[in-house]
Amino acid sequence: METELHNFVFVWISVVAALIYCRYISILLPVGPKRLFFFLPVILLFLLLPLRLTTLSLAGLTSFSIAWLSNFKLLLLAYGKGPLVPPPTSSPLSLQLFVTTASLPIKISPSAESPTSKNGGGGGLKSPANYVAKCLLLVSLFPLYQRNDYVHEKVMMLAYSVHVYIVLEVALAVIGVAAARLIGVAVEPQFDEPYLATSLQDFWGRRWNLMATSILRPSVYEPIRLASGRLVGRQWAALPAVLATFAVSALMHELIFYYIGRKEPTWVVTWFFLLHGVAVAAEVAAKKALHGMRWRLPAEVSRVLTVGFVVVTGFWLFLPPLLRYDTVAKARRETIAISRLLISREIALISIPY
């Protein structure tokens, strides 16, 4: 585990150094292909660096942060767009703010200046009680894992689904709080209670993994929608944009799965996102076709149908590829290794004479 931590430190020192270079390139060169050309070595580096990490947690979070989000932010910056470009009336981002925003899965909140919020959370995030409750729910699942031979397969898959959701939300929230304290501004929540979604549009666009959504919208959805408007008209331009966005998301998830599993992809995850892309496009088309009708499903029914569709398709196409990498056993081994490392360091500190 110590070797992994050393590799982790090396990776992130390399990330910071590369982003300092990118910031000065963005100052020296105008937007366009020339700036992009000088960004390409960094983009390639960010695709290679996660290969130095082998643990599920460090490789997963690092690949999501730099191989996906950072690279997309740099592609947008090359053409003067995205979160690394300040509003026209604002001053350029400071070096610290640039590196933090570029490297971490955060989005600066436009409505808050302070890294603390009224509810006691950090940087515009939810209240600590919200995350504590979810952590307690996660801990309550551990006895189930110890008796998995006696539990129905579907119940275990539901437990794994809840586990993945809570770990992702809490891990990203911890990063968000740390970033908010570091740069002194508020950041937006990365999740917004996805189990309350009343439609697939609501689930993917406004509730689930909002850091991915916030980077896919300007980098994929909006350009494709603009181009499609010239071909199919503005009314239906959203449909090919939705499909393209889910296709890109599928490829990036396949890449992250490769980083954490190091196995040849089966492309099952791709089918999961393509299926949801088609479903969201159909939902958009249906809403446009039925525009003006007052009748709609009750919110409770919509939630059950939406979450049910996500869970069923997740059981079918998303979880099996993830479990193929022995993620449960890996997570257990990593937790034990980290606990032993922390205990050994604590003992070493106690034994130091003062």
Side-chain angles (χ1 to χ4, degrees):
M1 192 67 190
E2 288 198 38
T3 302
E4 180 77 354
L5 291 176
H6 291 155
N7 286 337
F8 181 71
V9 171
F10 169 81
V11 165
W12 280 94
I13 290 175
S14 303
V15 169
V16 171
L19 289 174
I20 292 173
Y21 158 82
C22 287
R23 183 184 185 259
Y24 286 105
I25 288 296
S26 67
I27 293 173
L28 296 173
L29 297 179
V31 298
K34 189 174 182 180
R35 184 189 285 187
L36 175 61
F37 176 78
F38 281 89
F39 282 172
L40 287 178
V42 174
I43 292 172
L44 177 61
L45 176 67
F46 285 0
L47 291 172
L48 295 176
L49 282 176
L51 294 174
R52 294 186 64 94
L53 303 172
T54 57
T55 54
L56 183 68
S57 52
L58 297 184
L61 286 173
T62 300
S63 59
F64 174 62
S65 298
I66 65 172
W68 184 352
L69 298 186
S70 294
N71 275 346
F72 277 52
K73 290 173 186 178
L74 291 177
L75 290 172
L76 288 169
L77 177 62
Y79 289 92
K81 299 179 180 180
L84 301 180
V85 178
T89 57
S90 302
S91 58
L93 300 183
S94 67
L95 178 61
Q96 184 184 41
L97 183 57
F98 179 93
V99 171
T100 306
T101 306
S103 62
L104 298 179
I106 61 171
K107 182 180 180 183
I108 306 301
S109 175
S111 60
E113 299 288 337
S114 170
T116 57
S117 58
K118 293 179 181 180
N119 59 17
L125 299 173
K126 303 171 190 174
S127 68
N130 184 290
Y131 297 112
V132 169
K134 287 170 182 172
C135 288
L136 291 175
L137 174 59
L138 179 62
V139 171
S140 72
L141 298 176
F142 291 169
L144 196 65
Y145 299 155
Q146 296 174 346
R147 299 176 175 271
N148 59 354
D149 292 337
Y150 306 97
V151 181
H152 193 278
E153 179 187 5
K154 299 303 181 185
V155 175
M156 289 305 304
M157 293 186 78
L158 181 61
Y160 294 148
S161 301
V162 174
H163 190 132
V164 169
Y165 159 56
I166 294 176
V167 167
L168 278 176
E169 177 167 8
V170 173
L172 293 178
V174 169
I175 294 173
V177 170
R181 298 292 190 270
L182 177 65
I183 59 181
V185 298
V187 299
E188 296 185 357
Q190 295 95 336
F191 287 80
D192 186 16
E193 316 303 342
Y195 49 85
L196 298 178
T198 55
S199 68
L200 290 175
Q201 278 182 281
D202 186 30
F203 181 88
W204 291 112
R206 293 181 286 273
R207 294 185 180 274
W208 180 266
N209 197 354
L210 299 177
M211 299 305 102
T213 301
S214 67
I215 205 67
L216 285 170
R217 184 174 288 113
S219 60
V220 182
Y221 178 81
E222 291 175 357
I224 297 297
R225 182 173 182 174
L226 181 63
S228 300
R230 303 187 186 101
L231 298 175
V232 298
R234 293 181 60 185
Q235 182 179 4
W236 303 105
L239 302 186
V242 166
L243 295 174
T245 302
F246 275 90
V248 172
S249 179
L251 294 177
M252 298 314 298
H253 278 84
E254 290 283 5
L255 180 63
I256 292 173
F257 274 37
Y258 177 77
Y259 286 130
I260 65 177
R262 306 298 164 85
K263 292 183 180 180
E264 185 177 349
T266 60
W267 305 108
V268 175
V269 175
T270 296
W271 285 111
F272 171 81
F273 284 97
L274 292 180
L275 173 62
H276 276 260
V278 171
V280 172
E283 193 177 85
V284 171
K287 288 180 179 179
K288 288 182 179 294
L290 300 175
H291 180 68
M293 294 184 63
R294 296 182 179 179
W295 179 85
R296 62 173 56 191
L297 288 172
E300 293 76 12
V301 176
S302 298
R303 287 194 182 102
V304 171
L305 293 176
T306 300
V307 177
F309 182 80
V310 173
V311 169
V312 170
T313 54
F315 284 6
W316 176 31
L317 296 172
F318 189 87
L319 276 180
L322 187 62
L323 297 177
R324 170 174 171 249
Y325 305 127
D326 199 22
T327 48
V328 176
K330 274 187 177 182
R332 186 182 298 116
R333 289 195 297 268
E334 289 175 22
T335 302
I336 293 172
I338 292 173
S339 301
R340 287 176 176 173
L341 180 63
L342 293 175
I343 292 172
S344 64
R345 292 292 175 87
E346 186 68 23
I347 293 173
L349 288 173
I350 293 173
S351 63
I352 296 175
Y354 292 94

